[in-house]
């Protein structure tokens, strides 16, 4: 039985079946969520390890998509996926809470490496508990305002 779950959020252009063996190497399973709401539902049991997401698939700018992933699955490590031609300001993304990034289309070796980074981060956090970064009051207000406008 897997001891954690990696979620593909949105409609990433990859067959989940190709990722199952990679996740299994770390004792994890793969699930898909078509939306941030679906991601939050999958997080109900608290076993999410990482979330691979492409902001375009969620129809959001990367900052809002990342904030949505962090809100929906606060214990999971967000892995920002983007096309080769898309420019991502990595220092800004990391400061905002992104754990890692992957280019699309996926190279399975790079996905394995990213999952390895996540495995090590989770292993270390089990030894030395790491508290999620507290949002500033302004970020919290922006998040609530954004969420209020996106609730169906």
């Amino acid at each position: 039985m897997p001891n954690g779950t990696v979620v593909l959020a949105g409609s990433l252009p990859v067959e989940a079946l190709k990722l199952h063996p990679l996740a299994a190497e770390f004792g994890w399973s793969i699930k898909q969520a078509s939306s941030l709401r679906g991601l939050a539902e999958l997080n109900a049991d608290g076993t999410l390890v990482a979330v691979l997401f492409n902001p375009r698939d969620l129809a959001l700018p990367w900052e809002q998509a990342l904030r949505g992933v962090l809100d929906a699955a606060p214990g999971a490590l967000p892995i920002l996926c983007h096309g080769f031609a898309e420019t991502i300001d990595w220092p800004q993304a990391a400061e905002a809470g992104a754990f890692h990034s992957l280019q699309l289309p996926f190279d399975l070796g790079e996905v394995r490496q990213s999952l390895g980074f996540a495995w090590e981060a989770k292993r270390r956090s089990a030894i030395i508990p790491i508290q999620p970064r507290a949002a500033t009051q302004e970020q919290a207000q922006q998040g609530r305002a954004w969420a209020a406008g996106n609730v169906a």
Side-chain angles (χ1 to χ4, degrees), residues 23 27 34 40 57 66 76 116 120 124 137 148 150:
S34 60
D57 292 340
L66 176 58
E120 181 64 15
R124 287 183 184 207
Q137 187 174 11
N150 286 299

Side-chain angles (χ1 to χ4, degrees), residues 49-53 62-71 73-81 88-101 118 121-122 130-136 139:
V49 175
V51 178
L52 283 66
F53 70 100
W62 75 261
E63 297 93 336
Q64 288 181 350
L66 176 58
R67 187 171 34 247
V69 167
L70 290 168
D71 289 346
L77 300 171
I79 299 175
L80 178 61
C81 304
I88 300 292
D89 181 345
W90 177 248
Q92 186 180 3
E95 180 63 28
F99 174 73
H100 199 239
S101 70
K122 288 295 186 177
I130 299 172
Q131 297 299 319
R133 188 177 331 170
T136 66
Q139 289 171 325

Side-chain angles (χ1 to χ4, degrees), residues 37 60 64 145-152:
R37 184 180 308 248
L60 295 169
Q64 288 181 350
W146 177 82
N150 286 299
V151 175

Side-chain angles (χ1 to χ4, degrees), residues 11-35:
S11 57
L12 290 170
V14 64
E15 292 179 34
L17 291 177
K18 291 182 180 180
L19 299 182
H20 283 288
L22 296 180
E25 290 178 24
F26 300 98
W28 300 332
S29 64
I30 296 282
K31 291 189 178 176
Q32 292 182 285
S34 60
S35 66

